[in-house]
Amino acid sequence: MAIKSYENKVDLVPSVLETLVMQGVGTAPLVELCKTRQIYNSLHSWISDRYEDASDNANAEITGFSDTAKKTKVETINHTQIFTTNVSVSYRQNALKQYTGNELAHQISKKMIKHKKDIEFAMLGLGRDAIDDKYVPMSDTENGRMASIFFYVPKEHRKDFLNSGNKTDFTFKALQSIIEPIWLNGGIDDGKFKIFLGSSLKQKINGWLDKKPSLKVEVKDGEFDPRVTKIYTDFGVVDICLHRLFSAEEKLQDKVLAGNFNDVSLCYLTPTKVEDVSTDKTAILKRIYSDLLLEVKNPDMFASASGLV
């Protein structure tokens, strides 16, 4: 019996995505909240001033002049930190047609996000012995490091809920005690007050809202953000913001950061740039470079807590 031969006229094309799907975290919410501006020295200082507290003020018809005003201006300092992120693509990889289109452009875009996330990592004091360590000036033997936002939280605004080494249950009362010092200094009046925490502490807040739904602020259509929950407190409406680093990093898992970010800036000695790196390798090398520091104009607008569970 003869075996017939058939010619296949159908091209078999594998099913693939036409665009690359990126996985993982691509956001840095604190960086995105900050203003940016230029500075001209690696050691940078700024002046904060405070309104005076109310006091008794009753006078006779003819009263002498008396100036009992106290000094209220405070100088605050930070040091710049250099951030670098390297990009490397071989000539061959850059020449190949890939799902990302131009491979070099894709890698630069991806590394830019990594660069931004590294800045956020430093803003939270991660990578240091303690998250509230002082800035470290650069020297021949020491990498310069900026102080984190926790460094600028006033001592009297820091609450430690550890009790004989045991963590304290995160309650609505505890939350109000954290934000009250900021409210006393006017930090919640404009409705832009934010509280950052991890998923385990956020679950505690979900439990409060289940028991008392009236605490939750209903948002309008189009304003919903699954990462942010608005709640009523005695001191006004606050935004509860879920932050991945507060969940993933052990140093932050029991902590809360509260504050008004209106006057927080990233100040650049050298604005972020992408520069060519010379090489004798058969590859294209680029470096993303930033030299910057964190400026917290009004530290009284911030508070923190630790030892919560």
Side-chain angles (χ1 to χ4, degrees), residues 281-297:
K281 299 182 183 298
T282 57
I284 303 169
L285 306 185
K286 300 276 188 179
R287 178 184 293 119
I288 304 170
Y289 180 98
S290 301
D291 192 358
L292 60 90
L293 56 78
L294 178 69
E295 180 187 74
V296 183
K297 274 278 183 69

Side-chain angles (χ1 to χ4, degrees), residues 89 95 117 134 136 139 171 183 194 208 237-238 256 271 274 303:
V89 175
K117 289 165 63 178
K134 187 180 179 181
V136 178
S139 68
T171 63
W183 172 77
K194 299 187 182 298
W208 310 343
V237 173
V238 300
V256 169
V274 181

Side-chain angles (χ1 to χ4, degrees), residues 18-211:
E18 292 183 357
T19 57
L20 188 73
V21 176
M22 295 299 296
Q23 296 177 310
V25 181
T27 58
L30 294 182
V31 170
E32 291 158 13
L33 280 173
C34 292
K35 301 174 183 176
T36 59
R37 67 187 189 89
Q38 183 77 48
I39 56 173
Y40 300 96
N41 200 311
S42 59
L43 189 64
H44 173 64
S45 67
W46 60 94
I47 302 296
S48 302
D49 200 1
R50 292 177 171 85
Y51 291 110
E52 295 181 56
D53 293 332
S55 62
D56 182 43
N57 193 338
N59 300 279
E61 182 178 349
I62 299 177
T63 303
F65 180 84
S66 175
D67 186 5
T68 58
K70 298 178 181 178
K71 181 181 177 182
T72 57
K73 292 181 180 178
V74 178
E75 182 181 27
T76 312
I77 300 173
N78 205 352
H79 196 283
T80 61
Q81 178 171 332
I82 294 174
F83 297 84
T84 63
T85 307
N86 296 327
V87 182
S88 173
V89 175
S90 70
Y91 292 153
R92 184 174 184 273
Q93 287 293 317
N94 200 46
L96 290 172
K97 184 177 181 181
Q98 303 192 51
Y99 297 119
T100 56
N102 181 278
E103 182 64 10
L104 179 60
H106 169 67
Q107 290 297 330
I108 291 174
S109 175
K110 188 172 72 170
K111 292 290 188 177
M112 275 288 197
I113 292 173
K114 167 70 163 58
H115 196 76
K116 182 173 69 170
K117 289 165 63 178
D118 288 350
I119 294 171
E120 180 125 335
F121 196 86
M123 285 177 65
L124 290 169
L126 297 168
R128 309 291 303 275
D129 292 336
I131 59 173
D132 59 352
D133 278 349
K134 187 180 179 181
Y135 62 85
V136 178
M138 185 179 296
S139 68
D140 293 339
T141 58
E142 191 88 51
N143 294 333
R145 289 184 178 272
M146 69 180 185
S148 77
I149 196 164
F150 287 102
F151 174 76
Y152 297 102
V153 176
K155 293 286 194 293
E156 60 273 20
H157 289 198
R158 304 180 189 185
K159 287 194 174 291
D160 186 357
F161 285 92
L162 279 177
N163 185 8
S164 301
N166 297 315
K167 295 177 182 177
T168 299
D169 189 46
F170 187 33
T171 63
F172 184 64
K173 182 178 179 181
L175 175 66
Q176 298 218 118
S177 71
I178 295 166
I179 64 179
E180 183 176 12
I182 307 173
W183 172 77
L184 288 170
N185 286 292
I188 312 179
D189 292 352
D190 63 359
K192 296 180 181 178
F193 185 80
K194 299 187 182 298
I195 295 171
F196 287 94
L197 39 66
S199 56
S200 60
L201 295 182
K202 176 59 166 58
Q203 288 172 18
K204 289 294 180 75
I205 294 177
N206 293 345
W208 310 343
L209 299 179
D210 288 341
K211 294 177 181 177

